[in-house]
Amino acid sequence: TEKAKKIPVIFFDSDYWMPMIDYLEATLLKKYKTISPGDEKLYTFADTVDEVMGIIETMPRENSDHDHEDGDE
């Protein structure tokens, strides 16, 4: 619906989360169209801590100018 700010979501343990994602896509996206096409790009899956860290490290930073506000370089 484009009403909320888009933020990335990482689902840890894809086996655990896949039934919920299947439901969301089948019901909310395809049947009722209450989420927008492309919203599935807002989330990703990771099954290890290394995968999570890799995803976080490659995410664009919104306020990168303020990363060192406390004086640390």
Side-chain angles (χ1 to χ4, degrees):
T1 61
E2 304 290 328
K3 293 181 182 181
K5 181 178 176 181
K6 294 181 180 180
I7 59 169
V9 174
I10 302 170
F11 289 104
F12 188 75
D13 187 358
S14 57
D15 288 337
Y16 177 82
W17 289 105
M18 195 52 68
M20 184 192 75
I21 298 302
D22 291 342
Y23 167 79
L24 291 175
E25 290 179 355
T27 306
L28 302 181
L29 176 65
K30 294 176 183 170
K31 185 175 181 179
Y32 295 113
K33 298 176 178 33
T34 54
I35 60 174
S36 299
D39 282 352
E40 65 276 5
K41 294 176 186 170
L42 295 175
Y43 56 83
T44 190
F45 295 95
D47 291 308
T48 68
V49 172
D50 288 338
E51 286 179 303
V52 172
M53 292 306 298
I55 293 165
I56 291 170
E57 290 169 352
T58 60
M59 287 181 180
R61 291 184 163 183
E62 187 171 310
N63 293 319
S64 59
D65 294 342
H66 303 291
D67 287 347
H68 301 289
E69 282 185 5
D70 60 3
D72 292 339
E73 301 280 345

